[in-house]
C-alpha cells in the first residue's frame, strides 16, 4: 500500500517552503545557504520516498498527490529560475544547481509514474523489460 498521506504531507510542506523562499527572493531578500540546503535535503527525501513507493502507487493514490506534485514542480522551477537570475547568489551557486537537479529528478519521477506506472500499456511493457533485464543481469552474474 502506498504511503499517500506521507507523500502528500511532504509535497505540501516543501511546496509552501519553496513558494515562501521564492517570494523572499523576488522581494530582494538574499537566500541563505542553510535555507536552500535544507530545502534540497527535503526534496531529496521526497524523491527517495516516491522512488521507494513507485511499485505500489495506484491511480487513486496519484489522484491525491499528483496535482500537488505538479504544483510543487511549478513552484520549484520558478524558485530555481529566480535564483538563477539573481546575480548576487554566486556564493550559493552550488546549492542552486543542486536545486535544479532536484527539480529535474522530481519532474522525471512524476513523468515515469504517469507514463509507465499508471498507463496500462506502457506499464506492462516496462514491467516486461525490467524482468528481462533482471534475468539478463542474473545470468551474467553466474
Amino acid at each position: 500500500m502506498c504511503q499517500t498521506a506521507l507523500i502528500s504531507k511532504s509535497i505540501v510542506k516543501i511546496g509552501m517552503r519553496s513558494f515562501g523562499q521564492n517570494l523572499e527572493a523576488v522581494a530582494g531578500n538574499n537566500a541563505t545557504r542553510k535555507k536552500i540546503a535544507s530545502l534540497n535535503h527535503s526534496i531529496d527525501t521526497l524523491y527517495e520516498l516516491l522512488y521507494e513507493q513507485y511499485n505500489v502507487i495506484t491511480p487513486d493514490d496519484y489522484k491525491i498527490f499528483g496535482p500537488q506534485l505538479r504544483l510543487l514542480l511549478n513552484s520549484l522551477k520558478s524558485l530555481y529560475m529566480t535564483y538563477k537570475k539573481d546575480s548576487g547568489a554566486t556564493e550559493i551557486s552550488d546549492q542552486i544547481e543542486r536545486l535544479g537537479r532536484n527539480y529535474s529528478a522530481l519532474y522525471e519521477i512524476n513523468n515515469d509514474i504517469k507514463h509507465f506506472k499508471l498507463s496500462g500499456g506502457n506499464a506492462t511493457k516496462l514491467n516486461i523489460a525490467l524482468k528481462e533485464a533482471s534475468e539478463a543481469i542474473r545470468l551474467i552474474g553466474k
Side-chain angles (χ1 to χ4, degrees):
M1 180 172 178
C2 178
Q3 296 182 5
T4 307
L6 182 60
I7 292 169
S8 181
K9 182 179 176 181
S10 181
I11 290 170
V12 169
K13 185 178 176 182
I14 295 168
M16 290 174 61
R17 287 173 56 200
S18 66
F19 184 77
Q21 284 181 316
N22 198 14
L23 285 176
E24 288 179 10
V26 169
N29 298 336
N30 290 334
T32 64
R33 180 178 225 28
K34 184 177 178 180
K35 275 187 173 182
I36 300 175
S38 176
L39 181 64
N40 276 323
H41 177 72
S42 295
I43 297 168
D44 289 339
T45 302
L46 172 61
Y47 177 83
E48 290 170 10
L49 178 60
L50 288 169
Y51 185 80
E52 290 169 1
Q53 295 294 304
Y54 181 85
N55 289 323
V56 293
I57 294 171
T58 66
D60 289 336
D61 296 326
Y62 191 76
K63 284 180 187 174
I64 294 169
F65 71 79
Q68 297 168 336
L69 185 54
R70 286 190 295 276
L71 286 172
L72 173 60
L73 287 167
N74 289 336
S75 180
L76 291 174
K77 183 177 181 180
S78 177
L79 178 61
Y80 174 71
M81 297 306 285
T82 299
Y83 283 152
K84 287 294 282 186
K85 290 177 187 173
D86 184 8
S87 60
T90 55
E91 67 279 355
I92 56 172
S93 61
D94 61 325
Q95 287 299 320
I96 294 170
E97 291 307 313
R98 182 175 166 207
L99 179 64
R101 289 189 304 273
N102 279 336
Y103 163 77
S104 294
L106 279 181
Y107 182 86
E108 287 301 319
I109 199 163
N110 182 51
N111 279 342
D112 288 351
I113 292 169
K114 287 189 314 189
H115 297 286
F116 296 114
K117 180 69 176 136
L118 301 180
S119 66
N122 287 337
T124 303
K125 291 176 190 173
L126 177 63
N127 287 336
I128 290 169
L130 290 174
K131 285 179 185 177
E132 290 173 355
S134 293
E135 181 63 19
I137 291 171
R138 188 185 66 77
L139 293 173
I140 291 171
K142 284 187 172 185

